[in-house]
Amino acid sequence: VGQAPTAAFESFHDMHNYMHLGGFEQIRQGASPYLGAQTQYGIGTQVLMYRLTSWLSFSIHGFYAASVLLNVVCIVAFLLIVERSLGLRWALAALLGFVLWPSPASVTGSTPGWALATRWVFIATLALLIPRALLAGWTSRGKIVAGSLLGGLWGGGAFLSQETLSGGALVMVLCLLLFASL
């Protein structure tokens, strides 16, 4: 009766996780994501996590499972982009990096919501693809297509996470400064 959760399950009872479910419950009752169901994340991440959590299980365990699923999808997508852009050796090195280096979540003691890969994967992808687009000897039509795709990637990432908006701007400015110095 009234036993405290074991160490293995303590992280499921972090109040931060219930805050996410509170916003999700507001959405389920008809509140507008991000406005009525307030969050500090991008509207896209809140809606995506709400849909995934509802699909898996509208519970703390479902929230954790949705977070893991979204992180795995983002990491696999990033590794595919690295492999297609730089080759298999760099993709394997990136995979090794994911295995060997600790997650920011484990270093900071954060809960899954703070460690969503959607918060950083778009910035890393832009940092990989913008220089490639700038240095490619494409025609003006190819540059327009590449710029449009990169802009769409940046906009989609900003919809998911506000960090992508500012981080993407920083990546673009740094890439343009380095490109101008060539």
Side-chain angles (χ1 to χ4, degrees), residues 3-18 59-65 111-112:
Q3 284 185 332
T6 62
F9 291 105
E10 278 183 1
S11 60
F12 287 110
H13 299 285
D14 186 321
M15 288 308 293
H16 182 84
N17 298 328
Y18 290 106
S59 66
I60 292 295
H61 296 279
F63 172 71
Y64 264 72
T111 56

Side-chain angles (χ1 to χ4, degrees), residues 74-89:
C74 286
I75 290 167
V76 168
F78 180 70
L79 290 174
L80 286 173
I81 290 168
V82 170
E83 192 276 328
R84 299 303 304 161
S85 297
L86 300 175
L88 182 60
R89 288 182 184 164

